[in-house]
Amino acid sequence: MKTALLAFLVSFSAMASECYVRTTELVTNEVTMAKEFCVSNIDIKLAGRYDSKAFIKYTLDGVEIEKMMNLSMGVDLRNGRVVHFLYNFESNYYGGSCGDTTEAAINAELEMNKDGSEAKLINIKGSVSTSYDNCHSQLREIQSVPFNLI
């Protein structure tokens, strides 16, 4: 049984040192957002539908971070690839509770081969959102912040 389980666990690592920058200034000074987002490594561990994970090493303005993401809810692209939607790589808040709230965030999607042999981040973008009553209304986006590959 252990042999069958170990044979099912698959691990791939994708070295993709790519950097993205934003050239747009934020519409508010209440929150901050990194100007440079660099992906240095994506390590995929396939272990069944609900136990598969991606470990992503990246930097925000030179500060190293590692994030683990569960890979249970991907969408099959029918070309041997799967997209996992909207992961948050940075989030800064001002305010909170039931008052005014402003958030700056950097999000991306993970696209990978079904077998985990290749993975990359796509649709990397930042956003600034606000709410005047965080208890009774959702945050609404007031600025989309593009990140460009350098």
Side-chain angles (χ1 to χ4, degrees), residues 8 10 44 56 59 64 71 102-103 113 129 136 144:
F8 187 63
V10 179
I44 304 294
I56 300 177
T59 61
E64 292 183 10
L71 300 178
T102 304
E103 176 194 30
N113 287 348
S129 302
H136 300 99
S144 179

Side-chain angles (χ1 to χ4, degrees), residues 81-95:
R81 297 188 62 80
V82 177
V83 171
H84 298 275
F85 290 102
L86 224 50
Y87 289 102
N88 188 297
F89 289 92
E90 180 184 37
S91 182
N92 295 304
Y93 287 91
Y94 173 79

Side-chain angles (χ1 to χ4, degrees), residues 16-22 35-40 57-62 121 124 147-150:
S17 187
E18 292 185 336
C19 291
Y20 302 83
V21 295
R22 72 171 170 92
K35 289 190 177 202
E36 184 180 75
F37 175 71
C38 295
V39 181
S40 59
K57 290 183 181 179
Y58 62 100
T59 61
L60 294 172
D61 290 340
L121 294 181
I124 298 167
F147 275 77
N148 302 308
L149 181 64
I150 56 171

Side-chain angles (χ1 to χ4, degrees), residues 79-134:
N79 62 357
R81 297 188 62 80
V82 177
V83 171
H84 298 275
F85 290 102
L86 224 50
Y87 289 102
N88 188 297
F89 289 92
E90 180 184 37
S91 182
N92 295 304
Y93 287 91
Y94 173 79
S97 190
C98 284
D100 294 354
T101 303
T102 304
E103 176 194 30
I106 299 174
N107 296 297
E109 298 169 345
L110 176 71
E111 182 179 323
M112 59 181 265
N113 287 348
K114 286 182 185 179
D115 67 1
S117 62
E118 182 184 328
K120 65 179 179 177
L121 294 181
I122 60 171
N123 299 328
I124 298 167
K125 83 171 194 107
S127 64
V128 177
S129 302
T130 189
S131 172
Y132 297 107
D133 181 358
N134 202 34

